[in-house]
Amino acid sequence: MTTEQEVITLTNQVFEESFEIEKEKLQPQMNIFEDLGLDSLDVVDLVVALQKKFGVKIRDDERVRSIRTLGDIYQFILSLKTEWKS
Amino acid sequence: MEILKLIYLNTMFYVSFFLFSAVGIPLLSLLVAFLSLFMSHRRTMKRFRRAINWYGTVIIRVLPFPLVRIRYKDFAKDDERGPYVFVCNHQSTSDPFLMACLPYECIQVVNIWPFRIPVLGKFAKWAGYLSVREMPFGEFSRKTVELLGQGVSVITFPEGTRSGDKPIGQFHGSIFRVALQAKCPIAPVCINGNKKIPPRGSLLLRPGTIRVHKLPALQWEEYKDMKPFELKNRVRDIIAREQAVMDVKA
């Protein structure tokens, strides 16, 4: 099973590779819209990249709409992984 | 004494603004309607947008003088060719009017509320302005590419809302995705000096000089390999840097 640290590392990799955001900015409290500068269309790209990275299906999940911070994404991926395993 | 002068000049501006609009808008409309009898739809639209440009020029350059002065500078490279996607910073309500400085056939991408302004909103709609939040991205993209294909430049304020005294805000990426698709040049436009002309939440124009700088355009060949996120931040950085330079010089 993917550990919390692995989820954080892989998620941060997605932000670095897909959006070229510096590592130092990737803190859990960062708002992905106001601090990192993503918009609604970037979120679509983010979802596709996360699906590819973690091998999970996110696209139709309603919980994506409530994501605001990077920490929310870590928790969301972790919960998906847990659900998927059970 | 200074306050009385300010109130007097503002009163003069707003009275002349309404008088000029009451006379100028019907006159220009009649002129375009008359010309449309002899011209194709495309040429009529061109004249119509030019008429809007004339109206805007009087509003920003003539009526507020000497309270407000406008300095426009074009830093385009010699070999640049439009139509452009103009990307501008957004500090004040006066920004859309200042776009009359740009000597091109243009439409603007607006938020919902400008279409609700009496008279001016209607004309904006007729001129083909695009209300980005009232249409799906696919439709926005198709219409923008179509306009660019006709030689019409597209003016955008990708911050989405006025930044006022705050630093330049984050950019929305829609227009950059469209530019990548349309393969057209992106010209950053930096507006400086109008934070208080008028200030947010007020109609009182403060005296000052507004500078509008049209910066060298990024050609499609230069940005074609960038992702939309990278592209929007590149353009944002260019405008923010110019803004800092203009702040120092002001």
Side-chain angles (χ1 to χ4, degrees), chain A residues 46-82:
Chain A
L46 173 67
V47 164
V48 172
L50 288 170
Q51 287 188 152
K52 212 168 151 189
K53 187 67 104 183
F54 291 100
V56 288
K57 201 174 172 224
I58 303 173
R59 211 177 145 185
D60 301 324
D61 202 308
E62 279 296 310
R63 286 173 290 180
V64 172
R65 292 176 193 277
S66 58
I67 287 174
R68 290 288 172 272
T69 66
L70 204 50
D72 292 344
I73 300 179
Y74 301 150
Q75 289 310 314
F76 174 59
I77 300 285
L78 275 168
S79 62
L80 274 180
K81 284 277 179 189
T82 314

Side-chain angles (χ1 to χ4, degrees), chain B residues 56-199:
Chain B
T57 303
V58 174
I59 297 293
I60 59 158
R61 284 192 187 271
V62 182
L63 303 186
F65 187 84
L67 184 65
V68 179
R69 291 156 203 258
I70 313 288
R71 302 269 182 274
Y72 170 72
K73 214 166 175 184
D74 188 345
F75 292 89
K77 295 173 210 148
D78 293 339
D79 57 345
E80 268 188 31
R81 293 279 177 280
Y84 298 92
V85 163
F86 289 112
V87 176
C88 320
N89 60 319
H90 192 16
Q91 293 183 312
S92 163
T93 324
S94 52
D95 292 336
F97 290 97
L98 291 166
M99 293 301 103
C101 289
L102 299 170
Y104 300 92
E105 183 190 0
C106 296
I107 63 106
Q108 297 189 24
V109 175
V110 298
N111 227 324
I112 300 165
W113 70 266
F115 275 2
R116 296 187 181 151
I117 301 172
V119 187
L120 299 184
K122 274 270 176 275
F123 276 78
K125 222 172 212 175
W126 290 335
Y129 284 33
L130 300 172
S131 177
V132 67
R133 291 179 66 183
E134 288 180 299
M135 60 177 80
F137 175 70
E139 190 187 346
F140 169 68
S141 175
R142 184 183 55 76
K143 285 188 172 171
T144 309
V145 172
E146 198 180 301
L147 283 161
L148 288 163
Q150 291 170 3
V152 182
S153 293
V154 176
I155 298 168
T156 64
F157 300 93
E159 286 169 271
T161 186
R162 286 166 285 159
S163 58
D165 282 330
K166 295 180 197 149
I168 187 166
Q170 299 288 0
F171 277 8
H172 290 268
S174 319
I175 195 63
F176 300 94
R177 289 170 193 264
V178 177
L180 277 159
Q181 196 186 329
K183 303 180 180 178
C184 69
I186 300 174
V189 176
C190 191
I191 307 166
N192 185 274
N194 67 335
K195 282 178 193 169
K196 291 187 173 170
I197 307 175

